[in-house]
């Protein structure tokens, strides 16, 4: 997915996230992030966009604590959120193919635009659950979000950042993600970690559904019942229990 598409999508997703939280109770608890009130969720999004832009401009900095973010007064949230997204998109577009620091070694600057787009999408789902509103994710963006999340999970360093992900190691068990909108994914759990390829083939368990539903189930923003699971249900349940974004 090219940088321009990612930038446009970040602007659009941040705008709809802002619409979702405008007028909502800042102290409402986010059901899928139970330790956070809505104010912290909003603060995390704006904070993460600004932090990522600073990395592209100046290099690595410590991961900020969402509890330290100050999104300001609720009636100013929309502007504050859009400013953060604008800054990140412009900074990445200006950087072009310049390699920058990431958790996984130097990569083109658009790594952070892609990571923040998909993080914002998942947290938009959190906001929608909190406010009782709907979320829509275009198929190409949902597919890219699934691929990006699998890339994160398959990186050896990820288990050191989130020790629970080490539980994803296995002995060759396979999971298949299948959608009529896309070519799908085949995931293999090896002793050394997770590996995956695009495409489908026979697997121990298959999750089937629209791309948006697959994404939200995989990130535990929707229950597993929202997709069709065939095969080794215990394997699917174990995967979902250890891969929340």
């Amino acid at each position: 997915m090219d940088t321009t598409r990612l930038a446009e999508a970040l602007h659009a997703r941040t705008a709809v996230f802002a619409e979702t939280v405008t007028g909502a109770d800042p102290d409402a608890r986010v059901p899928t992030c139970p330790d956070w009130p809505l104010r912290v969720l909003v603060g995390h999004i704006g904070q993460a966009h600004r932090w990522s832009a600073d990395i592209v401009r100046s290099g690595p900095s410590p991961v900020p604590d969402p509890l330290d973010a100050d999104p300001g007064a609720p009636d100013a949230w929309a502007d504050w959120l859009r400013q953060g997204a604008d800054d990140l998109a412009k900074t990445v577009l200006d950087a072009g193919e310049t390699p920058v620091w990431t958790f996984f070694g130097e990569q083109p600057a658009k790594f952070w635009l892609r990571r923040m787009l998909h993080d914002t999408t998942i947290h938009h789902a959190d906001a929608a659950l909190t406010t009782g509103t709907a979320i829509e994710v275009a198929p190409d963006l949902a597919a890219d979000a699934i691929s990006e999340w699998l890339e994160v999970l398959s990186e050896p360093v990820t288990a050191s950042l989130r020790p629970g992900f080490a539980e994803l190691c296995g002995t060759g068990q396979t999971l298949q993600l299948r959608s009529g909108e896309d070519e799908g994914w085949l995931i293999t759990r090896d002793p050394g970690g997770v590996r995956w390829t695009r495409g489908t083939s026979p697997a121990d368990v298959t999750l089937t559904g629209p791309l948006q539903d697959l994404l939200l189930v995989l990130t535990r923003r929707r229950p597993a019942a929202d997709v069709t699971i065939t095969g080794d249900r215990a394997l699917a349940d174990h995967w979902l229990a250890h891969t929340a974004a």
Side-chain angles (χ1 to χ4, degrees), residues 29-120:
R29 287 287 158 178
V30 179
T32 39
C33 302
D35 294 332
W36 287 4
L38 189 62
R39 177 187 297 278
V40 171
L41 181 67
V42 173
H44 167 65
I45 293 299
Q47 177 193 61
H49 291 175
R50 290 165 171 80
W51 173 69
S52 301
D54 285 343
I55 287 174
V56 175
R57 282 190 292 260
S58 306
S61 64
V63 178
D65 186 340
L67 297 178
D68 293 336
D70 181 9
D75 61 0
W77 282 356
D79 286 342
W80 184 75
L81 288 164
R82 282 192 289 266
Q83 288 165 9
D86 289 347
D87 182 35
L88 174 56
K90 182 179 186 305
T91 301
V92 170
L93 288 167
D94 288 348
E97 293 301 311
T98 301
V100 302
W101 178 88
T102 80
F103 296 114
F104 313 119
E106 287 196 341
Q107 297 193 36
K110 78 171 186 178
F111 168 93
W112 287 108
L113 190 56
R114 187 181 183 218
R115 176 85 285 273
M116 288 299 108
L117 164 62
H118 299 320
D119 189 59
T120 303

Side-chain angles (χ1 to χ4, degrees), residues 85-225:
D86 289 347
D87 182 35
L88 174 56
K90 182 179 186 305
T91 301
V92 170
L93 288 167
D94 288 348
E97 293 301 311
T98 301
V100 302
W101 178 88
T102 80
F103 296 114
F104 313 119
E106 287 196 341
Q107 297 193 36
K110 78 171 186 178
F111 168 93
W112 287 108
L113 190 56
R114 187 181 183 218
R115 176 85 285 273
M116 288 299 108
L117 164 62
H118 299 320
D119 189 59
T120 303
T121 298
I122 299 308
H123 286 310
H124 177 207
D126 294 325
L129 286 167
T130 306
T131 59
T133 55
I135 176 173
E136 293 185 8
V137 185
D140 67 324
L141 297 177
D144 191 65
I146 292 170
S147 290
E148 195 258 358
W149 186 229
L150 292 175
E151 288 170 16
V152 170
L153 291 176
S154 64
E155 282 283 353
V157 73
T158 298
S160 66
L161 300 172
R162 299 272 294 272
F165 289 165
E167 296 293 329
L168 298 177
C169 294
T171 55
Q173 297 92 337
T174 53
L175 301 89
Q176 181 177 210
L177 310 177
R178 184 184 290 273
S179 174
E181 303 168 284
D182 189 86
E183 62 184 311
W185 297 259
L186 182 67
I187 304 163
T188 304
R189 298 174 61 170
D190 286 334
V194 173
R195 58 185 173 86
W196 63 280
T197 60
R198 287 296 244 135
T200 56
S201 65
D204 296 315
V205 64
T206 298
L207 283 67
T208 305
L211 287 168
Q212 173 175 305
D213 293 349
L214 285 171
L215 171 63
L216 296 178
V217 167
L218 288 171
T219 53
R220 291 171 59 187
R221 268 55 186 190
R222 285 188 181 170

